[in-house]
Amino acid sequence: MSGSALLSILISAPETGNGGFDLGRMMAIIIAAIFVNNFVLSRFLGICPFLGVSKQLDSALGMGAAVIFVMTLATLGSWTVYNLLLVPMELTYLRTIAFILIIASLVQLVEMILQKFSPALYQALGIFLPLITTNCAILGVAVLNIDEKYSLGYSLVNAIAAGIGFTLALVLMAGLRQRLELADVPPALKGKPVAFLVAGVMSIAFLGFAGLGG
């Protein structure tokens, strides 16, 4: 494969057919990923870390940053491996396995970085940090980019926006749960039950954005 052909694959935009970015299309992807099709509140992916790490705002921000980092790099790796390796070799049926291996490797990298430079955040995230490997939101973004036939540029935009949407949901949930600690909640609803109720109400509230990405 020549250098010009490789460059064409990397930057081409199948949606517009003009080999460049369509600003309107890019803004639609961003708005849809953050609000309309929020991976937690609309697609219901990544529920485990959403409920597990949303007790404290600091932990929520840390997890959100880690997810954005992993999601972006996983998109870069998965898109490249799929289009430059699996497709030419007619091994596209291995994409799920390949994507999971890429995500697992990146999570290990994030773990080592946090353990080295932010031990407090590493301890606060606990078991939920390695669970990023099985966070279906990250795998969902990688698969969605392929299914939508996004170019690499659009795929990265979608991944970053999806990570921001995940972080937004996480931070909102953390703020609400901290306020609930001071609220007069019936004993039967304290803890996880009220968290599930709040998550459901948030999901219904985000339905108000349904017309923005159209």
Side-chain angles (χ1 to χ4, degrees), residues 138-154:
I138 297 177
L139 180 60
V141 170
V143 172
L144 179 66
N145 289 331
I146 300 301
D147 289 344
E148 294 291 332
K149 295 182 173 58
Y150 287 154
S151 66
L152 179 58
Y154 283 150

Side-chain angles (χ1 to χ4, degrees), residues 51-143:
L51 292 174
V53 192
S54 59
K55 295 180 180 179
Q56 298 293 330
L57 188 58
D58 292 342
S59 299
L61 287 171
M63 173 60 81
V67 167
I68 292 173
F69 178 77
V70 173
M71 197 172 278
T72 304
L73 292 187
T75 294
L76 176 62
S78 61
W79 192 97
T80 303
V81 167
Y82 182 84
N83 286 280
L84 302 185
L85 182 62
L86 299 184
V87 171
M89 298 180 66
E90 298 183 357
L91 297 173
T92 55
Y93 58 88
L94 294 177
R95 73 174 185 178
T96 302
I97 297 175
F99 292 176
I100 291 175
L101 289 175
I102 292 170
I103 293 169
S105 301
L106 290 171
V107 170
Q108 289 299 313
L109 176 63
V110 171
E111 276 196 86
M112 290 187 292
I113 292 174
L114 288 182
Q115 193 171 16
K116 176 69 175 179
F117 296 104
S118 183
L121 179 58
Y122 177 80
Q123 294 294 331
L125 295 178
I127 187 62
F128 293 100
L129 183 57
L131 282 178
I132 294 179
T133 303
T134 57
N135 187 340
C136 47
I138 297 177
L139 180 60
V141 170
V143 172

Side-chain angles (χ1 to χ4, degrees), residues 14-53:
E15 305 87 343
T16 62
N18 60 12
F21 275 110
D22 182 326
L23 182 59
R25 176 61 172 164
M26 185 168 65
M27 291 304 300
I29 290 174
I30 292 172
I31 293 173
I34 296 177
F35 300 108
V36 182
N37 297 318
N38 186 284
F39 271 79
V40 177
L41 300 176
S42 296
R43 297 182 185 273
F44 306 110
L45 300 175
I47 298 296
C48 179
F50 172 67
L51 292 174
V53 192

